[in-house]
Amino acid sequence: MKIFNTMTRKKEDFVPIEEGKVRMYVCGPTVYNFFHIGNGRTFIIFDTIRKYLEYRGYEVNFVQNFTDIDDKMIKRANEEDITVKELGDRFIKEYYKDADALELKRATTNPRATEYINEIIKFVKDLIDKGYAYEVDGDVYFDTKKFKEYGKLSGQNLDDLQAGARISVDERKKDPMDFAVWKSQKPGEPAWKSPWGMGRPGWHIECSCMAHKLLGETIDIHGGGMDLIFPHHQNEIAQSEARSGKKFVNYWIHAAYLNIDNKKMSKSLNNFFTAREILEKYDADVIRFFMLSAHYRNQLNFSKELLDSAKVSVERIYNTISNLENLLGEVNNDFMTKDDKEFANILLSYREKYIEKMDDDFNTADAISVIFDLIKDININVNINSSKELVQQCLDLIRELGLPLGILQKSTKISLEERIEKLIDQRQKARKDKNWALADKIRDELNVEGIVLEDTPQGVRWHIKK
Ligand code: AMP
Ligand code: ZN
């Protein structure tokens, strides 16, 4: 399997530290608000990478943090007149609601920065002891000049970075690029006791510390959106490697932006849709299909038209699934004919092709094309004369190839309850519109099926005729 490593700017063979296991860390959301569908793209991409690694037999220890203390958290908590902890609790709950709806598999661990304060203080102490960090008036800064490889992730050296960066000049720092690993308390801010007085951790230190605690000093994969390459991930490398003296991450993976009118979707530009808003109109299959129809290193433009077209594509695949499910009940042929065996072999070649594409730096766009070719071939070659076994194999393969992408797992059959509820809704609407004929027709048809409707002051109830 090959992975494009941001550090080397090359596709490299994936060799995990421990055979059969993957230690993976992905930067998670700051929980001060609902996440937007741009964040959603990054979460879906790393969820897919994780699921594909699992599909290939790896056991993945997947850690994604919650940033639950920073300036944005403090500002929002003040606006709402609640504590930062209450704000974090609330939006972590909301995160899970949307994440579950997007079929994001729960992480092995979702650590919260504020639950690691003691470990973070110890980490900062280690950096000071080793001469990589210094204290000024209760703040602690990382001394970037001391870390010789500073800038290597973004391919720039310290001088280039300084020339390009809009950095605030702070006389107290030894170098303008130095960054805070511990911040002293300002009035009204939550704070914890530390050897440098009351304060709170800087943003970057939480990821270094929690990755170290939960996955070890060297990890296999670290991911996040492209905007995190500099300074966030560069600073994580500096802190982690300065402290341990070891390489921090073997493979850096960065997801490209979801744009809107060719601009990065972001809270600050106010050009975003929350994941929740989009989930009201499209289901997870469609959203994930849309996100994964581009390679993760290519930017993707968000539009209603593209989502609608993803919806049509997903429906086409489900149509084939539904036809195959119906066929299963109709075909009489229990044994594979020669033609069936030949087609079963072709099915295997589709699986190989799919794996080849996904093994090549998780090329989901091409993997989806393979699924489409497979569907076309099935539609042409599988019919009422096929054997049950072949029909079942086709069905299993479509579901199998959808699994790492987090799509195509839904049942095509709606339950009796769902169908009845739908008809009751239609009848209620008809009654509201004073369309009595239609309302009666719906009730009578259900009655023929043995379903009796009862109008009660609490609404419509139904039961099966005894
Ligand atoms: P945040 O909550 O802003 O820290 O972002 C959480 C994750 O979403 C990070 O990995 C960001 O890099 C990523 N992200 C933010 N905006 C976008 C976007 N427009 N497209 C893709 N990923 C994004
Ligand atoms: Zn991080």
Side-chain angles (χ1 to χ4, degrees):
M1 187 185 303
K2 286 199 183 307
I3 297 182
F4 183 89
N5 188 350
T6 310
M7 182 62 85
T8 58
R9 287 157 195 83
K10 280 194 197 92
K11 279 188 200 167
E12 296 174 5
D13 281 325
F14 179 60
V15 185
I17 300 163
E18 212 178 321
E19 205 185 316
K21 295 193 174 170
V22 180
R23 307 174 198 173
M24 182 167 176
Y25 187 98
V26 176
C27 294
T30 308
V31 284
Y32 71 110
N33 214 329
F34 297 98
F35 68 86
H36 62 65
I37 199 71
N39 305 131
R41 180 181 188 205
T42 291
F43 301 151
I44 288 170
I45 285 168
F46 287 103
D47 176 68
T48 302
I49 290 176
R50 178 232 194 138
K51 283 176 178 152
Y52 184 68
L53 289 165
E54 288 175 343
Y55 172 74
R56 297 290 273 138
Y58 291 104
E59 191 186 306
V60 184
N61 189 345
F62 185 87
V63 177
Q64 184 179 286
N65 66 306
F66 288 125
T67 297
D68 64 347
I69 176 76
D70 80 340
D71 292 347
K72 285 177 286 193
M73 293 287 302
I74 296 170
K75 184 167 173 271
R76 179 82 197 259
N78 282 341
E79 282 164 11
E80 304 252 322
D81 203 15
I82 54 175
T83 64
V84 168
K85 162 99 174 62
E86 284 164 343
L87 182 74
D89 288 348
R90 176 174 155 208
F91 281 108
I92 285 173
K93 243 193 230 145
E94 303 294 358
Y95 167 87
Y96 283 127
K97 272 191 215 157
D98 295 338
D100 290 347
L102 282 173
E103 301 288 342
L104 300 173
K105 184 173 170 182
R106 293 268 178 127
T108 317
T109 319
N110 284 127
R112 290 175 70 156
T114 56
E115 288 171 353
Y116 282 78
I117 299 291
N118 289 337
E119 286 84 353
I120 291 173
I121 290 173
K122 170 85 182 53
F123 203 112
V124 174
K125 255 196 206 152
D126 288 350
L127 289 176
I128 296 177
D129 291 347
K130 287 180 185 248
Y132 282 103
Y134 56 94
E135 191 226 328
V136 203
D137 311 331
D139 291 323
V140 181
Y141 292 102
F142 187 90
D143 193 340
T144 44
K145 277 253 161 49
K146 283 264 165 68
F147 188 73
K148 295 288 167 261
E149 291 176 304
Y150 194 79
K152 66 180 173 180
L153 186 65
S154 55
Q156 290 165 291
N157 62 30
L158 210 49
D159 293 338
D160 295 341
L161 286 168
Q162 273 187 30
R166 281 176 292 153
I167 34 182
S168 57
V169 180
D170 180 343
E171 294 294 324
R172 301 173 317 143
K173 291 201 275 184
K174 290 190 191 168
D175 186 280
M177 294 309 285
D178 293 354
F179 57 89
V181 286
W182 186 263
K183 297 179 170 183
S184 59
Q185 182 181 25
K186 294 199 195 91
E189 285 186 358
W192 290 262
K193 220 161 120 188
S194 82
W196 319 285
M198 296 299 284
R200 62 180 164 103
W203 170 35
H204 318 296
I205 196 84
E206 70 176 87
C207 289
S208 282
C209 178
M210 295 188 291
H212 169 223
K213 273 282 149 194
L214 294 163
L215 298 170
E217 288 179 333
T218 304
I219 68 174
D220 292 299
I221 295 176
H222 194 319
M226 295 264 185
D227 53 342
L228 301 188
I229 296 176
F230 191 86
H232 184 52
H233 287 162
Q234 181 57 67
N235 292 352
E236 282 190 40
I237 294 172
Q239 300 159 153
S240 297
E241 299 193 353
R243 196 199 136 273
S244 72
K246 293 181 191 144
K247 188 177 181 190
F248 174 37
V249 172
N250 286 336
Y251 302 87
W252 282 98
I253 305 183
H254 289 99
Y257 299 144
L258 182 71
N259 290 339
I260 196 155
D261 297 327
N262 299 314
K263 279 202 200 80
K264 179 191 171 198
M265 186 183 284
S266 70
K267 296 235 170 84
S268 52
L269 290 175
N270 203 23
N271 62 351
F272 66 90
F273 293 100
T274 61
R276 191 160 295 188
E277 280 173 278
I278 303 303
L279 276 160
E280 270 167 24
K281 300 194 185 87
Y282 300 91
D283 67 28
D285 265 71
V286 172
I287 298 171
R288 294 184 67 113
F289 182 96
F290 160 69
M291 297 291 187
L292 299 172
S293 62
H295 191 278
Y296 78 85
R297 284 189 285 117
N298 292 337
Q299 300 195 2
L300 176 66
N301 215 40
F302 179 87
S303 76
K304 190 182 168 301
E305 287 70 31
L306 287 173
L307 269 173
D308 286 339
S309 123
K311 185 164 181 241
V312 172
S313 300
V314 170
E315 275 167 6
R316 264 178 57 201
I317 307 177
Y318 270 112
N319 246 336
T320 299
I321 294 179
S322 164
N323 289 342
L324 289 169
E325 282 173 348
N326 291 335
L327 260 188
L328 262 190
E330 292 163 9
V331 289
N332 294 316
N333 194 350
D334 280 335
F335 299 99
M336 290 256 235
T337 61
K338 191 167 151 283
D339 284 355
D340 282 3
K341 282 185 188 150
E342 247 169 51
F343 195 69
N345 274 331
I346 293 176
L347 289 182
L348 295 182
S349 71
Y350 278 109
R351 178 191 284 126
E352 275 168 27
K353 220 181 245 161
Y354 170 92
I355 290 177
E356 189 189 302
K357 301 297 182 193
M358 289 295 281
D359 269 3
D360 180 13
D361 193 31
F362 313 105
N363 193 336
T364 54
D366 282 5
I368 284 175
S369 300
V370 173
I371 297 180
F372 263 106
D373 292 343
L374 166 71
I375 296 293
K376 255 189 251 157
D377 223 351
I378 290 176
N379 289 346
I380 295 168
N381 288 290
V382 180
N383 53 46
I384 191 75
N385 299 316
S386 307
S387 67
K388 222 183 193 123
E389 196 180 333
L390 183 68
V391 176
Q392 188 66 55
Q393 280 186 17
C394 291
L395 257 178
D396 292 347
L397 184 62
I398 300 173
R399 299 274 198 199
E400 176 190 320
L401 303 189
L403 193 65
L405 309 176
I407 60 173
L408 308 179
Q409 305 303 306
K410 271 194 329 221
S411 166
T412 58
K413 298 186 177 59
I414 59 170
S415 67
L416 178 68
E417 283 81 7
E418 279 174 313
R419 199 168 67 81
I420 295 172
E421 296 299 336
K422 246 190 196 158
L423 285 169
I424 290 177
D425 285 349
Q426 279 173 20
R427 177 168 169 265
Q428 292 300 82
K429 188 175 174 301
R431 281 159 54 125
K432 226 165 114 196
D433 298 344
K434 300 201 165 30
N435 186 348
W436 310 114
L438 177 62
D440 288 348
K441 185 166 168 264
I442 292 172
R443 193 196 52 212
D444 294 345
E445 278 176 8
L446 280 169
N447 201 19
V448 171
E449 289 184 47
I451 313 291
V452 183
L453 301 189
E454 267 175 85
D455 294 310
T456 76
Q458 287 80 35
V460 185
R461 296 223 180 106
W462 63 271
H463 65 264
I464 297 172
K465 220 186 287 178
K466 298 204 181 74

